[in-house]
Amino acid sequence: MPLPAGKQKQEKRQRLLECALELFVEKGYSNTPVSQIIAKSGYGIGTFYNYFQDKEDILKTLLDEFAGQIIASVNSYFSQEKDLYKRFTESKRIVIEVFAQNRQLTEIYCRVAGTSDGIDQSLKQFEDKLIEFFTKNIEYGIQKGSLHAVPAATIAHGILGMQRYLLYKWIVLKEISEEEMITMVVSYNEAIARGLEKKNLSTIQ
Amino acid sequence: MPLPAGKQKQEKRQRLLECALELFVEKGYSNTPVSQIIAKSGYGIGTFYNYFQDKEDILKTLLDEFAGQIIASVNSYFSQEKDLYKRFTESKRIVIEVFAQNRQLTEIYCRVAGTSDGIDQSLKQFEDKLIEFFTKNIEYGIQKGSLHAVPAATIAHGILGMQRYLLYKWIVLKEISEEEMITMVVSYNEAIARGLEKKNLSTIQ
């Protein structure tokens, strides 16, 4: 019995994404021509172009869905936790865990930056989504009076930059374990949230 | 009148480093064979191998001297400033300014990560030096009683990770200006130093 047309389309698209992801990790993004993705999928050339414009489009789609998954995971946690301090620190644990659970996408994310303008634009779109999401959460904390009136977007860049560097140390350099990476991210965000200085904050603002 | 032998040697080594740096930026590190560095320098093959083992050795040397320059700049500032809060924030301004003044090295630093094991080991050596330096400074602040007993190495990773990400946004994506980058780095480190939470810190420790 044939699958319903919508589901079948969805499965083809999904298979193309998975084949591309595997090849990008195995051979590197720049060394993977579209023809190999098509060959691996077993579909015809036309099928690929029904779903994607080119290789960059497939990378953008992979990263876009990944960003969506990260944000959905944090939002699902937020719906159950109202304490703003916990939300600040634990949401970073969730983000880094989603990265850790998606090794292949993380590998690509950590390896391809800086190698071509097209790739950098795809990455930028991905990172902008995360930055925007982090920024909104910090602004919410400021608005609720639980955080100082810090420059929210700047802090968001710091949070992403730190995670990005630790992901690279974990998956590219293999210098830290997954557990060490998660512990570092959480304790870093705890330190940010609590503040580094011992002085009473009200006196130095 | 010929130059004294020591000075002449120093100049040859320096010229080889400069030629390599220019080619790495212009054509990319992986697309620059040693033969082109030699051709550009105008020296013979033997001269190159008097100073360097291979291309990776020249990259390592460039990054090593760069790390030395960054650390020396901060140490020179530290010798004149004793206030620990200012030392914490202003030293980050100095670091990012040294990066900004060395556009070519920054460009390489931001583009080559993740592209090969050899490169990653060279970068790791460079970053480890900076992390070690930041860690020591934070430990000094903790020891002097001006900072909480935070995990110093973790915070150091956060500081470097943030700078790394903003350098990439500045020099690869061209999304922020040099001035914006410096402002963000300084205000981020101010926010870390002051702490994000309004609560009296002594009550939540």
Side-chain angles (χ1 to χ4, degrees):
Chain A
M1 204 173 67
L3 287 166
K7 198 174 171 195
Q8 211 176 21
K9 268 181 109 171
Q10 188 53 36
E11 279 180 4
K12 280 191 181 170
R13 185 177 169 280
Q14 196 54 36
R15 173 156 175 82
L16 285 164
L17 286 170
E18 281 163 15
C19 290
L21 181 56
E22 275 173 34
L23 287 166
F24 293 165
V25 171
E26 193 189 313
K27 307 164 70 77
Y29 175 81
S30 7
N31 302 322
T32 306
V34 166
S35 60
Q36 285 190 8
I37 302 172
I38 295 170
K40 192 179 170 84
S41 73
Y43 300 140
I45 298 176
T47 307
F48 179 91
Y49 291 101
N50 276 342
Y51 299 98
F52 305 103
Q53 284 168 33
D54 49 24
K55 190 169 72 167
E56 209 176 296
D57 190 26
I58 213 164
L59 177 65
K60 273 199 177 145
T61 307
L62 283 166
L63 289 172
D64 201 46
E65 294 189 355
F66 190 28
Q69 189 190 342
I70 293 169
I71 291 170
S73 303
V74 176
N75 277 335
S76 145
Y77 163 74
F78 279 172
S79 68
Q80 298 150 26
E81 178 58 68
K82 294 301 160 201
D83 180 287
L84 289 173
Y85 176 76
K86 273 198 195 154
R87 282 166 70 113
F88 186 87
T89 55
E90 286 302 307
S91 58
K92 309 313 178 296
R93 182 200 302 277
I94 291 166
V95 173
I96 201 77
E97 278 175 355
V98 178
F99 272 107
Q101 284 150 14
N102 290 271
R103 284 186 75 102
Q104 290 179 313
L105 279 163
T106 299
E107 177 110 28
I108 292 173
Y109 174 54
C110 292
R111 283 196 192 271
V112 301
T115 51
S116 90
D117 284 353
I119 293 172
D120 285 315
Q121 287 312 311
S122 309
L123 283 181
K124 179 176 148 39
Q125 202 176 293
F126 170 71
E127 293 185 322
D128 281 354
K129 272 205 179 153
L130 297 181
I131 291 281
E132 197 195 324
F133 180 67
F134 290 156
T135 304
K136 269 194 202 154
N137 294 337
I138 296 165
E139 281 169 350
Y140 180 78
I142 295 170
Q143 191 197 322
K144 289 284 172 190
S146 82
L147 298 180
H148 279 291
V150 289
T154 298
I155 305 294
H157 278 83
I159 291 166
L160 183 64
M162 197 268 180
Q163 294 211 359
R164 198 178 191 266
Y165 181 42
L166 290 188
L167 286 166
Y168 168 77
K169 283 208 141 187
W170 168 59
I171 209 149
V172 177
L173 296 181
K174 297 175 180 39
E175 199 189 330
I176 51 173
S177 68
E178 183 182 325
E179 203 175 77
E180 282 168 332
M181 172 177 73
I182 295 171
T183 305
M184 284 176 87
V185 165
V186 173
S187 73
Y188 181 68
N189 283 283
E190 280 170 359
I192 292 190
R194 287 185 191 176
L196 282 171
E197 285 220 316
K198 267 190 184 162
K199 293 178 199 171
N200 182 330
L201 291 171
S202 59
T203 65
I204 61 165
Q205 284 300 297
Chain B
M1 203 173 65
L3 289 166
K7 196 173 171 192
Q8 211 176 19
K9 267 181 107 170
Q10 188 54 36
E11 280 180 3
K12 280 191 183 170
R13 186 177 168 281
Q14 195 54 37
R15 175 158 173 77
L16 285 164
L17 286 171
E18 281 163 14
C19 291
L21 181 56
E22 276 173 35
L23 287 167
F24 292 165
V25 170
E26 193 188 313
K27 307 163 69 76
Y29 175 81
S30 6
N31 302 322
T32 305
V34 167
S35 59
Q36 285 191 7
I37 302 171
I38 295 170
K40 191 177 171 87
S41 73
Y43 300 139
I45 297 177
T47 307
F48 179 91
Y49 291 101
N50 277 341
Y51 299 98
F52 305 103
Q53 284 168 31
D54 49 25
K55 190 169 73 166
E56 208 176 297
D57 190 28
I58 214 165
L59 178 64
K60 274 200 175 144
T61 307
L62 283 167
L63 289 172
D64 200 48
E65 294 189 355
F66 190 28
Q69 189 189 343
I70 294 169
I71 292 170
S73 303
V74 177
N75 277 335
S76 146
Y77 163 75
F78 279 172
S79 69
Q80 297 152 27
E81 178 59 67
K82 295 301 160 202
D83 181 286
L84 289 174
Y85 176 76
K86 273 197 194 153
R87 281 166 71 115
F88 185 87
T89 55
E90 287 301 307
S91 58
K92 310 313 178 296
R93 182 199 303 276
I94 291 166
V95 173
I96 201 78
E97 278 175 356
V98 178
F99 272 106
Q101 283 151 15
N102 290 272
R103 285 186 74 101
Q104 290 178 313
L105 278 162
T106 299
E107 176 110 27
I108 292 173
Y109 173 54
C110 293
R111 282 195 192 272
V112 298
T115 52
S116 90
D117 285 353
I119 294 172
D120 284 314
Q121 286 312 309
S122 309
L123 283 181
K124 178 174 147 43
Q125 201 176 292
F126 170 71
E127 293 185 323
D128 282 353
K129 272 203 178 153
L130 297 182
I131 291 281
E132 195 194 326
F133 181 67
F134 290 155
T135 304
K136 269 194 199 153
N137 294 336
I138 297 165
E139 281 169 350
Y140 179 78
I142 295 169
Q143 189 197 323
K144 288 283 171 190
S146 82
L147 299 181
H148 279 290
V150 289
T154 297
I155 304 294
H157 278 84
I159 292 166
L160 183 64
M162 196 266 180
Q163 295 211 359
R164 197 178 192 266
Y165 180 43
L166 289 188
L167 285 166
Y168 168 78
K169 284 209 141 188
W170 168 59
I171 210 150
V172 177
L173 296 181
K174 297 176 180 40
E175 199 189 330
I176 52 173
S177 69
E178 182 182 326
E179 205 175 76
E180 282 168 332
M181 171 178 73
I182 295 171
T183 305
M184 283 175 88
V185 165
V186 173
S187 72
Y188 180 69
N189 282 282
E190 281 170 359
I192 292 190
R194 288 183 190 179
L196 282 171
E197 285 221 316
K198 266 189 186 163
K199 295 180 197 166
N200 183 331
L201 290 172
S202 59
T203 65
I204 62 165
Q205 284 301 298

